[in-house]
Structures are given as C-alpha cells and as structure tokens.
Amino acid sequence: MAEPNTWQALLDAFTEQARRRAEIDGAPAPGPAPHPGATPAELAAAERRLGRPLDPAHRALLATADGWDGFADGAALLGTADLGAGPRHEGAAAVLADFFAESEGRFPAALGIDPDPAAHTPVGDSAEDGYNRHLYLNPDGAAFELRARRPILHPDLDALLRHRLREYTERVDRLMWGPEHGPWGRDVHLDPPPVDRIIAVMTALGRIADPEAPVQAGVPATPERLNRLERALGVTLRPEHRAVLLAADGLRYPGGQVLSVPEIRESALVAQHTAAGDGRRRAARARISRVPTVPFALAGIALLGVDVRDGRVHDLLAGEPVAGTAGDRDGTVLGHLLTECEGLWRAAGRPPLHTLCVPL
C-alpha cells in the first residue's frame, strides 16, 4: 500500500506527463491540478454513503488528492463527494454493470472477481472514452480497469496507477519522440543511433525475445565486396545501405531480413517472393528493372528496395514507395531498421538499453 507521501510523488509524475502532453499540443497549461486532500470528515462521510470502510490505499490517495479531473488524457479520479451517491458514482456503477453484462460474465471470470457490480468501488472514470479508463477496487483491495483486451487484476491501487502512469508516459513519449524511440529513450529522428549500434541492439534484443530463434547478423562486408556488387549491378549503393552491409552482410530477425550481398545479386529472389503465375513474375521483374533500386530487405512477403536516387525504400512487387506513420524516417533504410528494432524491444519486454551489454 502506498503512503500519502508516495501518492504525492505518483501524482507529481502524472502532472509532469500532463505538462509534456500540453507542450506537444501547444496548450498554455497542462490542465486542472489535483484537488486538495480530503479532510477526515469528508472521508468519513464517503464511507457512510458507501456503507463500508474505504480501502486503506484508496483512503490514503483521497487524503492526498480528493479527486482529479483529467489526470491522464481525459481520465479522472473520483473524489469523496463522488463516492456512494451522485451522478458520477451512479454513472461509474452503471458502466460496470453494463460491461459485465455485455461480456456475459467473461470479464469478471477472467479476473476471478465478484460478478456483482455493486461489490466494487469506483475509483476513476472518463467522460471522453466510453468505458475505457474506468477504474475500480475489489473488496479485498485488488484493482482493475475496464478494457476489452488482456484484462489485468492488479494487486492494489498503487500497482494499477503505476501501470497507468507507464502507459501514459509511453503515449506521451511516442507523441514527442516518434514511434521508434522505445529502446533509445530519445528522439531518434533528431539524434539517430549509428547503423552498427542499431544492429547490435537488435541482436541483443533478439536473444531475449526468442532465444531459440535469435537475430542473426552476418559477418560485415568489406568495401571491396561492395564495390564488386556495385559494378555487377551498374549502380552506386546509397551511403545508408552501404553502411548496413558494412555492419552486417545480411540480418535475419522475426518476420523479415536485411538481404546479404549474395541475396541482393540473386535474381531468383524476386521470383520467389512474387505471387504465383509466370505472367505476374515477368511483370514484377519488368517493373523492378524500370525503377533504379537495389533490393534491400524482406518484410513478411514484401520485397523492399532502395531507390539509388533519393534513398527511399520501395515495395518492389507493389511498385510503390513504402509509406506509413513512422514520421520523417519512414520509408528509409534507417527508418526500417529502427522500426524492426522497436518491435524486437517490445517483444523482449521493453528492457532498458543499458541492461543489454551493448557497447556504447
């Protein structure tokens, strides 16, 4: 159970994330501050309306902040005046009853909690997000939030709110630094790591994510080997593509790979990854021959190539540049590696970079 001073530190951490979010949105202020802590008389009145004592952790939180509207992206913590009576308590209770009913009992069964909605005390609600972000306490002090996927029963209110803080911080980080920032803890668009470090981190993450099928990095290609490749292809490799091959001549990871020099040269690779049918294979080869690209990577069944004119990554079989939501780096060699690295980091459980024993 968190003591009042610990609650204050947790509330301050939410306040800091709200400040960062306001900075991203260009808002003049981060939103409303937590209400002052409840008095003993207000806490006692809430217990009388509820007809039962407050959970000790919930009581300590209310004594630190008697509610907070908009503490995390529109979600709110209820105050003592909201508990046991009034529209917000009734609304939160009705949402819980509807959610239990719509799940046909699967949600409480999945968490192993009392299927009677009245047994649970509302802690937080959200006027902007349907049932999401509604928080509740079990009679034994365990805490949960309404969510359709992967419901979690937290051991106490402190654990639930710290989980929410991690999710909130991650959302703000993603808005501020872009979707590939995860392993690096910074804006990799403004301060990108070198290619050899990305590959080293991917290799380390792969050992954690799937020890039985780790990421495999080839022996670095030599400049002479790449010069011979350029002469064979009749084009000059983009510097970023060359840097990848100088760091690892081929890289295999879950769901894809960066091609090695022999794989780049192997014309059969194109036919292997086109749809069935000789006509479509010939069309794909013809389309690739018209675009000045060098095959670069496989992403699922897609064959990617680097346009030697501007460095953009193309889906060679679809005949169009790669596009998406990954910001300035999307559609580039570096963006592809950073995106795959982010996926491995999540699969490995989001370990801090300094624990990977990767040279800085």
Side-chain angles (χ1 to χ4, degrees), residues 107-155:
F107 183 84
L111 296 185
I113 60 177
D114 194 326
D116 180 7
H120 310 289
T121 302
V123 174
D125 65 6
S126 173
E128 302 179 5
D129 202 10
Y131 63 79
N132 289 311
R133 305 179 189 175
H134 277 63
L135 313 178
Y136 300 87
L137 273 173
N138 280 0
D140 62 2
F144 63 93
E145 60 181 321
L146 300 189
R147 54 197 303 168
R149 297 182 179 179
R150 298 178 59 192
I152 302 172
L153 183 64
H154 299 272

mmCIF file of all heavy atoms in Angstrom, residues 107-155:
data_model
loop_
_atom_site.group_PDB
_atom_site.id
_atom_site.type_symbol
_atom_site.label_atom_id
_atom_site.label_comp_id
_atom_site.label_asym_id
_atom_site.label_seq_id
_atom_site.Cartn_x
_atom_site.Cartn_y
_atom_site.Cartn_z
ATOM 1 N N PHE A 107 -15.662 -11.228 -18.365
ATOM 2 C CA PHE A 107 -14.671 -10.309 -17.790
ATOM 3 C C PHE A 107 -14.429 -10.606 -16.309
ATOM 4 O O PHE A 107 -13.272 -10.811 -15.900
ATOM 5 C CB PHE A 107 -15.116 -8.857 -17.992
ATOM 6 C CG PHE A 107 -14.132 -7.841 -17.488
ATOM 7 C CD1 PHE A 107 -13.065 -7.434 -18.267
ATOM 8 C CD2 PHE A 107 -14.264 -7.291 -16.221
ATOM 9 C CE1 PHE A 107 -12.144 -6.495 -17.808
ATOM 10 C CE2 PHE A 107 -13.357 -6.358 -15.750
ATOM 11 C CZ PHE A 107 -12.292 -5.963 -16.546
ATOM 12 N N PRO A 108 -15.464 -10.645 -15.449
ATOM 13 C CA PRO A 108 -15.186 -10.968 -14.041
ATOM 14 C C PRO A 108 -14.600 -12.365 -13.869
ATOM 15 O O PRO A 108 -13.754 -12.591 -12.982
ATOM 16 C CB PRO A 108 -16.546 -10.828 -13.355
ATOM 17 C CG PRO A 108 -17.553 -10.856 -14.437
ATOM 18 C CD PRO A 108 -16.895 -10.315 -15.651
ATOM 19 N N ALA A 109 -15.026 -13.304 -14.733
ATOM 20 C CA ALA A 109 -14.474 -14.655 -14.622
ATOM 21 C C ALA A 109 -12.987 -14.667 -14.963
ATOM 22 O O ALA A 109 -12.196 -15.369 -14.314
ATOM 23 C CB ALA A 109 -15.235 -15.604 -15.548
ATOM 24 N N ALA A 110 -12.592 -13.888 -15.978
ATOM 25 C CA ALA A 110 -11.177 -13.843 -16.375
ATOM 26 C C ALA A 110 -10.302 -13.289 -15.261
ATOM 27 O O ALA A 110 -9.146 -13.702 -15.092
ATOM 28 C CB ALA A 110 -11.013 -13.008 -17.639
ATOM 29 N N LEU A 111 -10.832 -12.339 -14.495
ATOM 30 C CA LEU A 111 -10.063 -11.741 -13.402
ATOM 31 C C LEU A 111 -10.250 -12.473 -12.078
ATOM 32 O O LEU A 111 -9.521 -12.203 -11.120
ATOM 33 C CB LEU A 111 -10.473 -10.274 -13.228
ATOM 34 C CG LEU A 111 -10.169 -9.327 -14.391
ATOM 35 C CD1 LEU A 111 -10.530 -7.896 -14.021
ATOM 36 C CD2 LEU A 111 -8.705 -9.402 -14.795
ATOM 37 N N GLY A 112 -11.256 -13.360 -12.004
ATOM 38 C CA GLY A 112 -11.532 -14.048 -10.753
ATOM 39 C C GLY A 112 -12.118 -13.141 -9.695
ATOM 40 O O GLY A 112 -11.787 -13.251 -8.507
ATOM 41 N N ILE A 113 -12.989 -12.204 -10.121
ATOM 42 C CA ILE A 113 -13.568 -11.237 -9.199
ATOM 43 C C ILE A 113 -15.067 -11.478 -9.072
ATOM 44 O O ILE A 113 -15.668 -12.197 -9.871
ATOM 45 C CB ILE A 113 -13.298 -9.787 -9.647
ATOM 46 C CG1 ILE A 113 -13.916 -9.533 -11.035
ATOM 47 C CG2 ILE A 113 -11.798 -9.511 -9.671
ATOM 48 C CD1 ILE A 113 -13.752 -8.099 -11.533
ATOM 49 N N ASP A 114 -15.661 -10.858 -8.068
ATOM 50 C CA ASP A 114 -17.093 -10.977 -7.808
ATOM 51 C C ASP A 114 -17.870 -10.464 -9.020
ATOM 52 O O ASP A 114 -17.654 -9.341 -9.476
ATOM 53 C CB ASP A 114 -17.455 -10.164 -6.564
ATOM 54 C CG ASP A 114 -18.848 -10.497 -6.022
ATOM 55 O OD1 ASP A 114 -19.736 -10.796 -6.833
ATOM 56 O OD2 ASP A 114 -19.018 -10.418 -4.793
ATOM 57 N N PRO A 115 -18.790 -11.260 -9.579
ATOM 58 C CA PRO A 115 -19.556 -10.793 -10.736
ATOM 59 C C PRO A 115 -20.636 -9.780 -10.392
ATOM 60 O O PRO A 115 -21.290 -9.261 -11.310
ATOM 61 C CB PRO A 115 -20.175 -12.083 -11.284
ATOM 62 C CG PRO A 115 -20.279 -12.985 -10.105
ATOM 63 C CD PRO A 115 -19.100 -12.668 -9.240
ATOM 64 N N ASP A 116 -20.827 -9.489 -9.101
ATOM 65 C CA ASP A 116 -21.808 -8.480 -8.693
ATOM 66 C C ASP A 116 -21.180 -7.102 -8.804
ATOM 67 O O ASP A 116 -20.256 -6.773 -8.045
ATOM 68 C CB ASP A 116 -22.251 -8.743 -7.255
ATOM 69 C CG ASP A 116 -23.273 -7.708 -6.771
ATOM 70 O OD1 ASP A 116 -23.721 -6.869 -7.598
ATOM 71 O OD2 ASP A 116 -23.602 -7.727 -5.578
ATOM 72 N N PRO A 117 -21.630 -6.255 -9.730
ATOM 73 C CA PRO A 117 -21.014 -4.935 -9.894
ATOM 74 C C PRO A 117 -21.040 -4.103 -8.608
ATOM 75 O O PRO A 117 -20.135 -3.296 -8.376
ATOM 76 C CB PRO A 117 -21.852 -4.278 -10.994
ATOM 77 C CG PRO A 117 -22.468 -5.410 -11.740
ATOM 78 C CD PRO A 117 -22.710 -6.488 -10.712
ATOM 79 N N ALA A 118 -22.044 -4.284 -7.774
ATOM 80 C CA ALA A 118 -22.159 -3.475 -6.560
ATOM 81 C C ALA A 118 -21.056 -3.763 -5.551
ATOM 82 O O ALA A 118 -20.854 -2.980 -4.613
ATOM 83 C CB ALA A 118 -23.530 -3.711 -5.922
ATOM 84 N N ALA A 119 -20.328 -4.866 -5.733
ATOM 85 C CA ALA A 119 -19.271 -5.216 -4.785
ATOM 86 C C ALA A 119 -18.024 -4.360 -4.973
ATOM 87 O O ALA A 119 -17.149 -4.340 -4.094
ATOM 88 C CB ALA A 119 -18.910 -6.688 -4.940
ATOM 89 N N HIS A 120 -17.937 -3.629 -6.075
ATOM 90 C CA HIS A 120 -16.706 -2.922 -6.427
ATOM 91 C C HIS A 120 -16.887 -1.411 -6.290
ATOM 92 O O HIS A 120 -17.942 -0.864 -6.640
ATOM 93 C CB HIS A 120 -16.289 -3.290 -7.843
ATOM 94 C CG HIS A 120 -16.263 -4.773 -8.075
ATOM 95 N ND1 HIS A 120 -15.329 -5.595 -7.521
ATOM 96 C CD2 HIS A 120 -17.105 -5.591 -8.791
ATOM 97 C CE1 HIS A 120 -15.564 -6.852 -7.883
ATOM 98 N NE2 HIS A 120 -16.647 -6.862 -8.644
ATOM 99 N N THR A 121 -15.855 -0.745 -5.791
ATOM 100 C CA THR A 121 -15.907 0.696 -5.550
ATOM 101 C C THR A 121 -15.294 1.460 -6.723
ATOM 102 O O THR A 121 -14.137 1.206 -7.092
ATOM 103 C CB THR A 121 -15.123 1.061 -4.277
ATOM 104 O OG1 THR A 121 -15.667 0.336 -3.168
ATOM 105 C CG2 THR A 121 -15.200 2.556 -3.999
ATOM 106 N N PRO A 122 -16.040 2.385 -7.324
ATOM 107 C CA PRO A 122 -15.449 3.195 -8.400
ATOM 108 C C PRO A 122 -14.307 4.071 -7.878
ATOM 109 O O PRO A 122 -14.399 4.649 -6.788
ATOM 110 C CB PRO A 122 -16.617 4.056 -8.878
ATOM 111 C CG PRO A 122 -17.844 3.365 -8.385
ATOM 112 C CD PRO A 122 -17.456 2.704 -7.109
ATOM 113 N N VAL A 123 -13.248 4.150 -8.652
ATOM 114 C CA VAL A 123 -12.099 4.989 -8.307
ATOM 115 C C VAL A 123 -11.896 6.087 -9.343
ATOM 116 O O VAL A 123 -11.541 7.218 -9.005
ATOM 117 C CB VAL A 123 -10.815 4.136 -8.194
ATOM 118 C CG1 VAL A 123 -9.592 5.017 -7.978
ATOM 119 C CG2 VAL A 123 -10.949 3.119 -7.081
ATOM 120 N N GLY A 124 -12.110 5.772 -10.618
ATOM 121 C CA GLY A 124 -11.896 6.751 -11.678
ATOM 122 C C GLY A 124 -12.844 6.522 -12.826
ATOM 123 O O GLY A 124 -13.377 5.426 -13.003
ATOM 124 N N ASP A 125 -13.094 7.575 -13.601
ATOM 125 C CA ASP A 125 -13.961 7.459 -14.767
ATOM 126 C C ASP A 125 -13.385 8.274 -15.906
ATOM 127 O O ASP A 125 -12.311 8.874 -15.797
ATOM 128 C CB ASP A 125 -15.393 7.901 -14.438
ATOM 129 C CG ASP A 125 -15.509 9.381 -14.085
ATOM 130 O OD1 ASP A 125 -14.489 10.109 -14.196
ATOM 131 O OD2 ASP A 125 -16.603 9.811 -13.689
ATOM 132 N N SER A 126 -14.083 8.279 -17.024
ATOM 133 C CA SER A 126 -13.675 9.067 -18.176
ATOM 134 C C SER A 126 -14.918 9.460 -18.949
ATOM 135 O O SER A 126 -15.708 8.591 -19.338
ATOM 136 C CB SER A 126 -12.730 8.282 -19.082
ATOM 137 O OG SER A 126 -12.473 9.001 -20.271
ATOM 138 N N ALA A 127 -15.093 10.758 -19.157
ATOM 139 C CA ALA A 127 -16.244 11.240 -19.924
ATOM 140 C C ALA A 127 -15.965 11.227 -21.415
ATOM 141 O O ALA A 127 -16.865 11.474 -22.219
ATOM 142 C CB ALA A 127 -16.602 12.661 -19.479
ATOM 143 N N GLU A 128 -14.710 10.911 -21.812
ATOM 144 C CA GLU A 128 -14.315 11.047 -23.211
ATOM 145 C C GLU A 128 -14.048 9.735 -23.910
ATOM 146 O O GLU A 128 -13.814 9.716 -25.108
ATOM 147 C CB GLU A 128 -13.045 11.917 -23.301
ATOM 148 C CG GLU A 128 -13.198 13.304 -22.700
ATOM 149 C CD GLU A 128 -11.907 14.098 -22.789
ATOM 150 O OE1 GLU A 128 -10.944 13.596 -23.395
ATOM 151 O OE2 GLU A 128 -11.864 15.221 -22.251
ATOM 152 N N ASP A 129 -14.088 8.618 -23.204
ATOM 153 C CA ASP A 129 -13.583 7.384 -23.790
ATOM 154 C C ASP A 129 -14.461 6.176 -23.479
ATOM 155 O O ASP A 129 -13.954 5.082 -23.254
ATOM 156 C CB ASP A 129 -12.155 7.137 -23.291
ATOM 157 C CG ASP A 129 -11.376 6.225 -24.227
ATOM 158 O OD1 ASP A 129 -11.854 5.952 -25.331
ATOM 159 O OD2 ASP A 129 -10.290 5.772 -23.831
ATOM 160 N N GLY A 130 -15.768 6.362 -23.438
ATOM 161 C CA GLY A 130 -16.657 5.236 -23.191
ATOM 162 C C GLY A 130 -16.372 4.582 -21.863
ATOM 163 O O GLY A 130 -16.206 5.240 -20.840
ATOM 164 N N TYR A 131 -16.258 3.249 -21.869
ATOM 165 C CA TYR A 131 -15.967 2.545 -20.626
ATOM 166 C C TYR A 131 -14.477 2.520 -20.319
ATOM 167 O O TYR A 131 -14.071 2.240 -19.192
ATOM 168 C CB TYR A 131 -16.507 1.107 -20.697
ATOM 169 C CG TYR A 131 -15.878 0.257 -21.773
ATOM 170 C CD1 TYR A 131 -14.622 -0.309 -21.591
ATOM 171 C CD2 TYR A 131 -16.549 -0.001 -22.963
ATOM 172 C CE1 TYR A 131 -14.040 -1.091 -22.569
ATOM 173 C CE2 TYR A 131 -15.965 -0.796 -23.954
ATOM 174 C CZ TYR A 131 -14.722 -1.328 -23.739
ATOM 175 O OH TYR A 131 -14.141 -2.105 -24.712
ATOM 176 N N ASN A 132 -13.628 2.762 -21.337
ATOM 177 C CA ASN A 132 -12.188 2.749 -21.091
ATOM 178 C C ASN A 132 -11.800 3.759 -20.020
ATOM 179 O O ASN A 132 -12.400 4.820 -19.898
ATOM 180 C CB ASN A 132 -11.418 3.055 -22.380
ATOM 181 C CG ASN A 132 -11.481 1.915 -23.368
ATOM 182 O OD1 ASN A 132 -11.232 0.777 -23.012
ATOM 183 N ND2 ASN A 132 -11.835 2.213 -24.602
ATOM 184 N N ARG A 133 -10.780 3.409 -19.271
ATOM 185 C CA ARG A 133 -10.216 4.265 -18.220
ATOM 186 C C ARG A 133 -11.106 4.374 -16.986
ATOM 187 O O ARG A 133 -10.861 5.212 -16.131
ATOM 188 C CB ARG A 133 -9.870 5.656 -18.760
ATOM 189 C CG ARG A 133 -8.948 5.591 -19.975
ATOM 190 C CD ARG A 133 -8.641 6.958 -20.513
ATOM 191 N NE ARG A 133 -7.938 6.833 -21.785
ATOM 192 C CZ ARG A 133 -7.610 7.866 -22.557
ATOM 193 N NH1 ARG A 133 -7.938 9.079 -22.205
ATOM 194 N NH2 ARG A 133 -6.985 7.676 -23.688
ATOM 195 N N HIS A 134 -12.128 3.550 -16.879
ATOM 196 C CA HIS A 134 -12.875 3.452 -15.631
ATOM 197 C C HIS A 134 -12.106 2.507 -14.701
ATOM 198 O O HIS A 134 -11.733 1.396 -15.098
ATOM 199 C CB HIS A 134 -14.283 2.905 -15.888
ATOM 200 C CG HIS A 134 -15.256 3.954 -16.336
ATOM 201 N ND1 HIS A 134 -15.123 4.653 -17.507
ATOM 202 C CD2 HIS A 134 -16.389 4.432 -15.738
ATOM 203 C CE1 HIS A 134 -16.131 5.511 -17.640
ATOM 204 N NE2 HIS A 134 -16.909 5.391 -16.577
ATOM 205 N N LEU A 135 -11.894 2.938 -13.474
ATOM 206 C CA LEU A 135 -11.085 2.201 -12.506
ATOM 207 C C LEU A 135 -11.955 1.789 -11.325
ATOM 208 O O LEU A 135 -12.814 2.560 -10.874
ATOM 209 C CB LEU A 135 -9.925 3.065 -12.008
ATOM 210 C CG LEU A 135 -9.092 3.815 -13.058
ATOM 211 C CD1 LEU A 135 -8.017 4.647 -12.374
ATOM 212 C CD2 LEU A 135 -8.475 2.851 -14.047
ATOM 213 N N TYR A 136 -11.674 0.588 -10.788
ATOM 214 C CA TYR A 136 -12.480 0.061 -9.686
ATOM 215 C C TYR A 136 -11.591 -0.694 -8.708
ATOM 216 O O TYR A 136 -10.527 -1.214 -9.069
ATOM 217 C CB TYR A 136 -13.566 -0.883 -10.202
ATOM 218 C CG TYR A 136 -14.523 -0.225 -11.167
ATOM 219 C CD1 TYR A 136 -14.238 -0.180 -12.533
ATOM 220 C CD2 TYR A 136 -15.706 0.359 -10.723
ATOM 221 C CE1 TYR A 136 -15.100 0.437 -13.427
ATOM 222 C CE2 TYR A 136 -16.581 0.973 -11.616
ATOM 223 C CZ TYR A 136 -16.268 1.009 -12.955
ATOM 224 O OH TYR A 136 -17.125 1.623 -13.831
ATOM 225 N N LEU A 137 -12.094 -0.788 -7.450
ATOM 226 C CA LEU A 137 -11.428 -1.548 -6.408
ATOM 227 C C LEU A 137 -12.304 -2.707 -5.976
ATOM 228 O O LEU A 137 -13.513 -2.547 -5.780
ATOM 229 C CB LEU A 137 -11.145 -0.664 -5.191
ATOM 230 C CG LEU A 137 -9.845 0.145 -5.182
ATOM 231 C CD1 LEU A 137 -9.833 1.082 -3.994
ATOM 232 C CD2 LEU A 137 -8.638 -0.788 -5.121
ATOM 233 N N ASN A 138 -11.679 -3.887 -5.807
ATOM 234 C CA ASN A 138 -12.353 -5.041 -5.227
ATOM 235 C C ASN A 138 -12.490 -4.842 -3.714
ATOM 236 O O ASN A 138 -11.746 -4.053 -3.110
ATOM 237 C CB ASN A 138 -11.533 -6.313 -5.466
ATOM 238 C CG ASN A 138 -11.717 -6.855 -6.852
ATOM 239 O OD1 ASN A 138 -12.449 -6.296 -7.653
ATOM 240 N ND2 ASN A 138 -11.049 -7.957 -7.129
ATOM 241 N N PRO A 139 -13.364 -5.596 -3.081
ATOM 242 C CA PRO A 139 -13.442 -5.537 -1.614
ATOM 243 C C PRO A 139 -12.131 -5.886 -0.911
ATOM 244 O O PRO A 139 -11.859 -5.400 0.177
ATOM 245 C CB PRO A 139 -14.538 -6.564 -1.285
ATOM 246 C CG PRO A 139 -15.385 -6.633 -2.509
ATOM 247 C CD PRO A 139 -14.436 -6.437 -3.658
ATOM 248 N N ASP A 140 -11.292 -6.734 -1.555
ATOM 249 C CA ASP A 140 -10.022 -7.114 -0.932
ATOM 250 C C ASP A 140 -8.878 -6.171 -1.280
ATOM 251 O O ASP A 140 -7.725 -6.434 -0.929
ATOM 252 C CB ASP A 140 -9.656 -8.546 -1.318
ATOM 253 C CG ASP A 140 -9.442 -8.721 -2.828
ATOM 254 O OD1 ASP A 140 -9.544 -7.720 -3.578
ATOM 255 O OD2 ASP A 140 -9.171 -9.854 -3.263
ATOM 256 N N GLY A 141 -9.161 -5.074 -1.992
ATOM 257 C CA GLY A 141 -8.124 -4.090 -2.309
ATOM 258 C C GLY A 141 -7.470 -4.259 -3.649
ATOM 259 O O GLY A 141 -6.684 -3.401 -4.070
ATOM 260 N N ALA A 142 -7.741 -5.377 -4.359
ATOM 261 C CA ALA A 142 -7.219 -5.521 -5.722
ATOM 262 C C ALA A 142 -7.914 -4.511 -6.629
ATOM 263 O O ALA A 142 -9.034 -4.072 -6.354
ATOM 264 C CB ALA A 142 -7.429 -6.937 -6.227
ATOM 265 N N ALA A 143 -7.252 -4.116 -7.706
ATOM 266 C CA ALA A 143 -7.764 -3.033 -8.551
ATOM 267 C C ALA A 143 -7.767 -3.471 -10.007
ATOM 268 O O ALA A 143 -6.918 -4.259 -10.448
ATOM 269 C CB ALA A 143 -6.907 -1.782 -8.379
ATOM 270 N N PHE A 144 -8.723 -2.941 -10.769
ATOM 271 C CA PHE A 144 -8.796 -3.270 -12.188
ATOM 272 C C PHE A 144 -9.374 -2.091 -12.950
ATOM 273 O O PHE A 144 -10.003 -1.194 -12.375
ATOM 274 C CB PHE A 144 -9.643 -4.532 -12.427
ATOM 275 C CG PHE A 144 -11.086 -4.422 -12.024
ATOM 276 C CD1 PHE A 144 -12.064 -4.035 -12.935
ATOM 277 C CD2 PHE A 144 -11.474 -4.715 -10.723
ATOM 278 C CE1 PHE A 144 -13.395 -3.934 -12.564
ATOM 279 C CE2 PHE A 144 -12.809 -4.626 -10.343
ATOM 280 C CZ PHE A 144 -13.769 -4.239 -11.261
ATOM 281 N N GLU A 145 -9.122 -2.086 -14.255
ATOM 282 C CA GLU A 145 -9.719 -1.112 -15.157
ATOM 283 C C GLU A 145 -10.472 -1.866 -16.236
ATOM 284 O O GLU A 145 -10.171 -3.029 -16.524
ATOM 285 C CB GLU A 145 -8.656 -0.206 -15.775
ATOM 286 C CG GLU A 145 -7.605 -0.933 -16.596
ATOM 287 C CD GLU A 145 -6.566 0.000 -17.169
ATOM 288 O OE1 GLU A 145 -6.955 1.102 -17.601
ATOM 289 O OE2 GLU A 145 -5.381 -0.365 -17.193
ATOM 290 N N LEU A 146 -11.444 -1.213 -16.821
ATOM 291 C CA LEU A 146 -12.215 -1.842 -17.877
ATOM 292 C C LEU A 146 -11.438 -1.765 -19.176
ATOM 293 O O LEU A 146 -11.048 -0.691 -19.609
ATOM 294 C CB LEU A 146 -13.575 -1.155 -18.031
ATOM 295 C CG LEU A 146 -14.483 -1.179 -16.799
ATOM 296 C CD1 LEU A 146 -15.863 -0.667 -17.161
ATOM 297 C CD2 LEU A 146 -14.563 -2.568 -16.190
ATOM 298 N N ARG A 147 -11.237 -2.911 -19.768
ATOM 299 C CA ARG A 147 -10.557 -2.978 -21.042
ATOM 300 C C ARG A 147 -10.977 -4.271 -21.707
ATOM 301 O O ARG A 147 -11.081 -5.325 -21.076
ATOM 302 C CB ARG A 147 -9.040 -2.900 -20.894
ATOM 303 C CG ARG A 147 -8.429 -3.909 -19.949
ATOM 304 C CD ARG A 147 -7.020 -3.545 -19.529
ATOM 305 N NE ARG A 147 -6.135 -3.392 -20.657
ATOM 306 C CZ ARG A 147 -4.920 -2.855 -20.558
ATOM 307 N NH1 ARG A 147 -4.487 -2.381 -19.405
ATOM 308 N NH2 ARG A 147 -4.151 -2.754 -21.608
ATOM 309 N N ALA A 148 -11.235 -4.191 -23.002
ATOM 310 C CA ALA A 148 -11.750 -5.347 -23.721
ATOM 311 C C ALA A 148 -10.680 -6.402 -23.937
ATOM 312 O O ALA A 148 -10.996 -7.594 -24.003
ATOM 313 C CB ALA A 148 -12.336 -4.902 -25.058
ATOM 314 N N ARG A 149 -9.431 -5.991 -24.063
ATOM 315 C CA ARG A 149 -8.359 -6.932 -24.349
ATOM 316 C C ARG A 149 -7.421 -7.039 -23.153
ATOM 317 O O ARG A 149 -7.110 -6.058 -22.490
ATOM 318 C CB ARG A 149 -7.557 -6.484 -25.576
ATOM 319 C CG ARG A 149 -8.389 -6.453 -26.862
ATOM 320 C CD ARG A 149 -7.521 -6.039 -28.043
ATOM 321 N NE ARG A 149 -8.273 -6.023 -29.289
ATOM 322 C CZ ARG A 149 -7.744 -5.674 -30.458
ATOM 323 N NH1 ARG A 149 -6.461 -5.326 -30.526
ATOM 324 N NH2 ARG A 149 -8.483 -5.675 -31.553
ATOM 325 N N ARG A 150 -6.969 -8.252 -22.900
ATOM 326 C CA ARG A 150 -5.979 -8.546 -21.874
ATOM 327 C C ARG A 150 -6.315 -7.874 -20.547
ATOM 328 O O ARG A 150 -5.560 -7.049 -20.040
ATOM 329 C CB ARG A 150 -4.590 -8.117 -22.340
ATOM 330 C CG ARG A 150 -4.108 -8.856 -23.581
ATOM 331 C CD ARG A 150 -2.759 -8.357 -24.015
ATOM 332 N NE ARG A 150 -1.782 -8.537 -22.953
ATOM 333 C CZ ARG A 150 -0.567 -7.975 -22.968
ATOM 334 N NH1 ARG A 150 -0.212 -7.207 -23.971
ATOM 335 N NH2 ARG A 150 0.270 -8.176 -21.978
ATOM 336 N N PRO A 151 -7.458 -8.226 -19.947
ATOM 337 C CA PRO A 151 -7.776 -7.639 -18.640
ATOM 338 C C PRO A 151 -6.741 -8.033 -17.594
ATOM 339 O O PRO A 151 -6.216 -9.153 -17.610
ATOM 340 C CB PRO A 151 -9.155 -8.222 -18.321
ATOM 341 C CG PRO A 151 -9.234 -9.471 -19.133
ATOM 342 C CD PRO A 151 -8.468 -9.197 -20.393
ATOM 343 N N ILE A 152 -6.449 -7.108 -16.707
ATOM 344 C CA ILE A 152 -5.422 -7.324 -15.682
ATOM 345 C C ILE A 152 -6.025 -7.015 -14.322
ATOM 346 O O ILE A 152 -6.680 -5.985 -14.141
ATOM 347 C CB ILE A 152 -4.205 -6.406 -15.913
ATOM 348 C CG1 ILE A 152 -3.604 -6.637 -17.303
ATOM 349 C CG2 ILE A 152 -3.149 -6.628 -14.837
ATOM 350 C CD1 ILE A 152 -2.527 -5.625 -17.676
ATOM 351 N N LEU A 153 -5.802 -7.896 -13.351
ATOM 352 C CA LEU A 153 -6.156 -7.619 -11.963
ATOM 353 C C LEU A 153 -4.874 -7.252 -11.230
ATOM 354 O O LEU A 153 -3.981 -8.090 -11.061
ATOM 355 C CB LEU A 153 -6.812 -8.841 -11.314
ATOM 356 C CG LEU A 153 -7.291 -8.637 -9.869
ATOM 357 C CD1 LEU A 153 -8.401 -7.590 -9.818
ATOM 358 C CD2 LEU A 153 -7.764 -9.952 -9.267
ATOM 359 N N HIS A 154 -4.784 -6.001 -10.820
ATOM 360 C CA HIS A 154 -3.594 -5.524 -10.124
ATOM 361 C C HIS A 154 -3.724 -5.803 -8.625
ATOM 362 O O HIS A 154 -4.835 -5.775 -8.082
ATOM 363 C CB HIS A 154 -3.410 -4.030 -10.373
ATOM 364 C CG HIS A 154 -3.224 -3.685 -11.819
ATOM 365 N ND1 HIS A 154 -1.998 -3.676 -12.433
ATOM 366 C CD2 HIS A 154 -4.128 -3.364 -12.776
ATOM 367 C CE1 HIS A 154 -2.137 -3.353 -13.709
ATOM 368 N NE2 HIS A 154 -3.415 -3.160 -13.939
ATOM 369 N N PRO A 155 -2.621 -6.056 -7.940
ATOM 370 C CA PRO A 155 -2.726 -6.418 -6.522
ATOM 371 C C PRO A 155 -3.283 -5.319 -5.639
ATOM 372 O O PRO A 155 -3.865 -5.596 -4.592
ATOM 373 C CB PRO A 155 -1.283 -6.758 -6.129
ATOM 374 C CG PRO A 155 -0.423 -6.118 -7.175
ATOM 375 C CD PRO A 155 -1.235 -6.119 -8.431
#
